[in-house]
Amino acid sequence: MDAKDIGEIASWLMQAGLKGMTEVDILSGFCEQCRQHGLNIDRAMALMDTLHPVYEGRAFRWDGNQIIEREFEYGPTQQGIASENWQRSAFYHMLTTGGDEVRRRIGFGDPTDFYGLDTLLADGHTDYIAMIHRFEEGGTIGEMDCFYSNFATAHEVGFPEEDLRVLRKLTPALALAIKCTGMSRIARTIAEVYLGEDAARHVLEGKITRGKTERISAALWFSDLANYTRISDTAEPDEIIPMLNAYADAVISSIHEAGGNVLKLIGDGTLAIFKARNSADACAAALMAESLLRQRLRDLNSQRQIEGRPVTDVYLGLHIGDVFYGNIGSMDRLDFTVIGPAVNEVSRIASMCRSADRNVLMSSNFVEALSGQQSNDLVSVGRYALRGVNRPQELFTLLSSAA
């Protein structure tokens, strides 16, 4: 492979990164380009840690001779079998020794002393090289501080020195292209985790100007935990955060499954919206989320009782109305949320659950927006004065919702 060939592959990698190709497609395209130019790669893998609430990182694989799982996400590598495998890897060896390259000519008598090398040898591979490219402090985010890669060949002579020279020259460009896509993925993840999927989409589309809002009609959800103050005062301190997480997971997963968007977590409270083509569909989706939540709460509370942990319920207010949806805040600290009288009303409705002895309350506007069949299982619990709302509101509940 001459300088022209190397330049063409490097140019392809730059364009792939600029286009935002997926990491696995970048790795696959790189390996295929190398093979077309005479560099005998038969198997390759690349991985980077990431910034994600569940996964530690993502790995990408390519094989020129068989169909394999091309990408996967991996969890923590600090314990169990994952930790054992990681500590046996060439990557871990380089991290702990400060090296940047490991080579094993496994088809010519070198030891298969790292994880996976015995499998490579059994599959007919003769040569293996692993590399690590470390990022400087300004180029790291979270645990994403280096790029790992390895390459194997089944060629009868292994990797000639010229091929290794080319790999060493091109792999930094591969790392940069994959890092480019990885950073975009991390930005989306952070936005979705902290803003919610719909708000994140708006922000990543560039709608970050302060005061830039749109008027929308949406079904509104506000929920919080019943008796949270009493439980937090009496439960062991190390029980509080796990309890909040467990109940928040039940609430949020139910909202998401029904097509809603969580906008804000306020202590034990959750504010969400449901948007649809018409009001009836939006309200129906909110009721679906309520039904999903009650099933999850039954399962959660049953398990927590078995474990001897405190249990509770979720108070829920449902309303529908016009709200302003967008950026509110200062020049350097914005929140993408909803504001308007309807938001105040839904939180007040939820706060009446204790007084009405119901775990879900709905406004008359919400009930009127439902189709006739959907409203058959609803019953009025009377008119209530809501703090901050000018006139008393008639509230409704599900027949089966006694707290």
Side-chain angles (χ1 to χ4, degrees), residues 53-267:
V54 176
Y55 303 112
E56 184 175 301
R58 304 180 73 243
F60 319 99
R61 302 194 301 176
W62 174 86
D63 193 295
N65 302 307
Q66 60 181 318
I67 298 174
I68 59 172
E69 181 185 13
R70 300 178 70 206
E71 61 182 305
F72 60 91
E73 293 161 315
Y74 53 89
T77 56
Q78 290 82 30
Q79 57 187 5
I81 188 66
S83 176
E84 294 176 16
N85 292 341
W86 173 245
Q87 292 180 26
R88 292 171 51 210
S89 71
F91 298 141
Y92 182 82
H93 173 76
M94 288 185 284
L95 276 179
T96 54
T97 61
D100 54 17
E101 182 180 304
V102 165
R103 184 186 182 191
R104 291 291 185 269
R105 288 173 56 80
I106 54 178
F108 306 94
D110 280 3
T112 56
D113 51 344
F114 296 119
Y115 177 74
L117 292 189
D118 53 349
T119 301
L120 286 174
L121 179 61
D123 288 345
H125 295 87
T126 59
D127 210 346
Y128 166 90
I129 185 170
M131 290 180 273
I132 182 172
H133 292 84
R134 295 172 175 84
F135 307 150
E136 296 293 334
E137 183 176 351
T140 66
I141 180 168
E143 296 298 318
M144 192 184 78
D145 57 1
C146 56
F147 175 79
Y148 307 93
S149 61
N150 64 42
F151 305 90
T153 182
H155 196 274
E156 59 184 10
V157 301
F159 284 124
E161 285 303 319
E162 173 62 18
D163 286 2
L164 293 178
R165 182 187 71 82
V166 171
L167 274 178
R168 294 182 184 116
K169 191 174 187 67
L170 286 174
T171 303
L174 171 67
L176 187 60
I178 289 181
K179 180 184 178 184
C180 182
T181 298
M183 293 289 280
S184 296
R185 188 184 298 277
I186 286 175
R188 288 195 300 273
T189 296
I190 293 174
E192 290 175 0
V193 167
Y194 285 96
L195 298 177
E197 184 176 346
D198 190 64
R201 178 176 58 81
H202 281 75
V203 169
L204 293 174
E205 286 174 353
K207 298 176 183 177
I208 62 171
T209 304
R210 183 173 65 147
K212 183 71 172 180
T213 62
E214 60 177 316
R215 186 171 184 143
I216 64 171
S217 179
L220 304 171
W221 166 301
F222 189 89
S223 62
D224 57 15
L225 296 185
N227 303 315
Y228 172 69
T229 300
R230 177 183 60 78
I231 294 172
S232 62
D233 286 341
T234 57
E236 294 295 326
D238 58 359
E239 281 285 345
I240 301 302
I241 297 301
M243 183 186 78
L244 282 174
N245 285 339
Y247 284 97
D249 184 68
V251 171
I252 294 169
S253 58
S254 298
I255 292 169
H256 286 170
E257 186 174 339
N261 289 281
V262 174
L263 297 182
K264 192 177 292 295
L265 303 177
I266 312 165

